[in-house]
Amino acid sequence: MTDTVIIAGAGPTGLMLAHELALQRVPVVVVERRPGPTDALPGMAINATVVDLLHQRGLMDHVGEYGFEFPRAHFAQIWLDPVRVPGRHGYNFVISQTNLVRVLAERAAKQGAEIRWEREVVDLAQDDAGVRVTVRSPGGQEVLTGRFLVGCDGPESAVRRLAGIDFPGQDLPFLGIVGDLEVGEDHPLLAYLGAGEFPGGLLTVGPLEPGVVRIATAEFDLRPADRTAPVTTDELRDSIRRLDGAELGDATPRWLGRWDAATRQADRYREGNVLLAGDAAHVHFPLGGQSMSTGIEDAVNLGWKLAATVHGHAPVGLLDSYQAERYPVAARAGRTTLAQMVLLHPLGHVAPLRELLSEMVELDEVNEFLVKLAYALDVDYPVPADQVAGETHPLLGRRLPDVPLRTGAGETSLAELLHAGRGLLLDLAGGAGPLALPGWDDRVDVVAAAPSDEIDAARVLLRPDGRVAWAQPTGTDRTEPTEGLGRALATWFGPARASAAG
Ligand SMILES: Cc1cc2nc3c(=O)[nH]c(=O)nc-3n(C[C@H](O)[C@H](O)[C@H](O)COP(=O)(O)OP(=O)(O)OC[C@H]3O[C@@H](n4cnc5c(N)ncnc54)[C@H](O)[C@@H]3O)c2cc1C
């Protein structure tokens, strides 16, 4: 078997994972059944968590030119005010999923990942050593061998089915249409720009480029006559009429597709050498950019753990921490998006509750709670009990805001120090020099920086995904590595190199 990691699906999750693995010098092959990049992708925005994760790898520098900052958030389309939340907290970014995917594909390839289009995973076998993946292409079938296969192949995931993993949950009666329309200057649909709620469901119209709008209809309590049939212009026309009596008028579709209101989650994220991430592992109603953020943070969580396993220095249980950390996040996203659906339909019934909630979000604490939920900034990972024994800290398991830092080499930022995807011991104690970690210097960088008011710790150990693995309280002993730091290093990075241990 080879060390190659095979990824099924070149969506945002698969490409982010390919980037993470290639950054760690793991051979990666992405197989994608589409013939090439497509404009027919539904997403229009990424939330603050995705923005942070992209900054952390320097990818916002490439994504930035395709969109704009949108410092708003909503809960069930009740608008929140992120600007009122104290501290540094990021922003939503409006970008089409098409452009996001294009940039991620370019950056992953630049790091060395190989993307093979028009290759569909159709069969799978595995043993202790790795996987054999049968892939169909126009030229016939071939078998790829690798160490791991990661199914990032979306809601209908073939990898999940072939691995025998269930996908329990619920599908509500729903008729959803999404697509891009070429419209004239005074087109009647332009009066609907934004996200509107109606008794039958939702109508969202967003500007995509001059003369083109992205439209999404969502009708609750209805089902398409044939879910597999292509959407026709007449079907879209009828849907818009049912929602608000509006007329589609003279509009030319560039593409139209269907979407569902399913909330489902794989019963496990790993079966031997096969793992799942993104929509292949969980689906929920797409509200507020939580969908891609759950998938992209899956990829960032999994990438360095798979890489450590392939490179042979993963501590016991590292790969299993992927499910332990990420399953509860998607489960909560499923629950909180279901809660939002309850607030959206039937509108007449829930209107008083929406009115009450609209008043409540004027309260700073309610606004902050919901902004953090929509931005996925409230996600903490549980820290293994044997690691913390006696040494706990409120920052453990959290991501830190991207704060500016001053080091001996000049001005930098926390995100910049994480670009290489390595562990980072950030020494903010202001002492004579940073701690030395000779046994881990192949995996962990040590950087001393001037103390920051925005990080309440003397030292923090960050994992490659930016999560705090250990923190030393401000004002405590500055000179000696503590036992807790040693335990955290061993838990997340494995034992010290034998040659450096003594
Ligand atoms: C109307 C609508 C609007 C949305 N808006 C947003 C938004 O604004 N923000 C947001 O965060 N999310 C949004 N979402 C959700 C978002 O689109 C998904 O969460 C996201 O696409 C999931 O990414 P993924 O990479 O996990 O899966 P996918 O994007 O589904 O990618 C899976 C890939 O795998 C490929 N594939 C499938 N089967 C195989 C196979 N057997 N072999 C090889 N390749 C295969 C597919 O062709 C596809 O390219 C929206 C969804 C909808 C329906």
Side-chain angles (χ1 to χ4, degrees):
M1 285 289 171
T2 69
D3 278 347
T4 303
V5 174
I6 302 167
I7 297 173
T13 307
L15 292 168
M16 188 72 197
L17 179 61
H19 179 272
E20 293 295 291
L21 288 165
L23 183 67
Q24 309 273 357
R25 302 175 322 284
V26 172
V28 191
V29 174
V30 182
V31 288
E32 164 58 53
R33 77 174 167 198
R34 294 185 207 272
T38 173
D39 287 339
L41 297 175
M44 281 290 280
I46 52 179
N47 72 4
T49 283
V50 182
V51 173
D52 283 355
L53 294 171
L54 296 177
H55 265 307
Q56 195 172 277
R57 294 294 185 257
L59 295 169
M60 270 315 280
D61 296 344
H62 304 279
V63 162
E65 64 183 281
Y66 295 103
F68 57 90
E69 292 179 19
F70 187 59
R72 302 290 304 276
H74 69 84
F75 186 79
Q77 304 200 164
I78 293 167
W79 289 96
L80 311 167
D81 185 2
V83 178
R84 271 173 33 221
V85 177
R88 207 177 282 263
H89 47 68
Y91 49 83
N92 278 347
F93 190 81
V94 175
I95 179 173
S96 70
Q97 188 170 335
T98 300
N99 281 330
L100 178 68
V101 161
R102 183 174 299 137
V103 174
L104 289 177
E106 275 167 20
R107 302 319 300 173
K110 190 125 190 150
Q111 288 291 348
E114 190 188 338
I115 303 171
R116 298 187 192 167
W117 300 97
E118 233 170 351
R119 302 282 193 288
E120 180 177 7
V121 171
V122 292
D123 205 0
L124 157 67
Q126 64 166 316
D127 57 25
D128 290 347
V131 292
R132 284 181 303 285
V133 183
T134 307
V135 168
R136 187 164 53 206
S137 71
Q141 287 200 171
E142 62 182 317
V143 176
L144 306 178
T145 56
R147 181 82 182 275
F148 291 101
L149 168 67
V150 188
C152 302
D153 49 346
E156 314 286 338
S157 174
V159 172
R160 189 181 63 227
R161 176 175 45 79
L162 293 166
I165 299 175
D166 277 347
F167 200 40
Q170 53 174 284
D171 284 270
L172 296 173
F174 184 78
L175 198 160
I177 298 175
V178 58
D180 293 344
L181 300 174
E182 290 174 13
V183 293
E185 252 181 30
D186 299 320
H187 194 278
L189 273 184
L190 296 175
Y192 290 83
L193 279 183
E197 303 93 39
F198 301 95
L202 313 173
L203 174 61
T204 308
V205 181
L208 196 66
E209 58 184 72
V212 183
V213 293
R214 166 67 50 85
I215 188 164
T217 65
E219 294 184 85
F220 299 103
D221 301 335
L222 284 182
R223 287 198 192 270
D226 177 359
R227 191 180 163 276
T228 58
V231 183
T232 62
T233 312
D234 283 344
E235 197 183 347
L236 175 63
R237 192 184 311 281
D238 291 347
S239 177
I240 296 172
R241 264 193 204 136
R242 280 194 300 269
L243 281 168
D244 191 37
E247 283 307 319
L248 177 59
D250 192 12
T252 311
R254 283 189 175 172
W255 66 272
L256 293 174
R258 298 186 188 282
W259 58 297
D260 301 317
T263 303
R264 295 182 172 275
Q265 189 168 18
D267 64 8
R268 57 198 188 282
Y269 283 13
R270 180 180 179 192
E271 178 62 44
N273 295 317
V274 179
L275 296 111
L276 300 175
D279 276 19
H282 43 73
V283 287
H284 53 75
F285 201 66
L287 282 164
Q290 264 177 291
S291 313
M292 274 196 269
S293 106
T294 315
I296 287 181
E297 194 156 16
D298 285 352
V300 174
N301 184 290
L302 179 59
W304 67 280
K305 295 175 181 175
L306 266 183
T309 309
V310 169
H311 291 318
H313 53 68
V316 174
L318 184 69
L319 204 46
D320 290 330
S321 71
Y322 166 61
Q323 158 147 348
E325 293 180 340
R326 295 306 299 165
Y327 186 95
V329 175
R332 181 155 193 265
R335 289 194 300 276
T336 59
T337 44
L338 279 174
Q340 293 182 70
M341 290 175 77
V342 169
L343 281 164
L344 286 165
H345 186 74
L347 199 57
H349 191 64
V350 298
L353 192 53
R354 291 182 66 81
E355 193 182 322
L356 190 66
L357 195 59
S358 304
E359 289 172 19
M360 286 174 70
V361 299
E362 295 301 321
L363 302 172
D364 285 344
E365 279 188 32
V366 176
N367 178 62
E368 179 172 346
F369 179 87
L370 292 176
V371 166
K372 288 187 171 168
L373 185 150
Y375 279 4
L377 297 177
D378 57 353
V379 171
D380 291 347
Y381 295 155
V383 179
D386 55 341
Q387 186 211 306
V388 283
E391 266 190 53
T392 188
H393 193 285
L395 293 179
L396 288 185
R398 307 200 68 120
R399 260 187 311 111
L400 299 177
D402 178 23
V403 300
L405 293 169
R406 191 158 37 81
T407 71
E411 303 293 326
T412 181
S413 69
L414 189 63
E416 199 172 343
L417 293 176
L418 288 164
H419 280 188
R422 289 162 53 81
L424 173 68
L425 178 67
L426 184 62
D427 191 327
L428 302 166
L435 295 177
L437 298 177
W440 286 276
D441 57 8
D442 54 335
R443 286 155 276 170
V444 181
D445 295 326
V446 182
V447 175
S452 164
D453 290 345
E454 296 177 75
I455 302 178
D456 188 12
R459 295 192 179 98
V460 281
L461 175 67
L462 299 179
R463 311 186 320 188
D465 59 357
R467 293 279 168 179
V468 176
W470 169 85
Q472 189 174 355
T474 312
T476 53
D477 172 28
R478 296 153 164 218
T479 48
E480 292 303 318
T482 67
E483 207 186 307
L485 174 58
R487 272 199 303 268
L489 285 162
T491 301
W492 298 111
F493 297 97
R497 267 194 339 274
S499 56

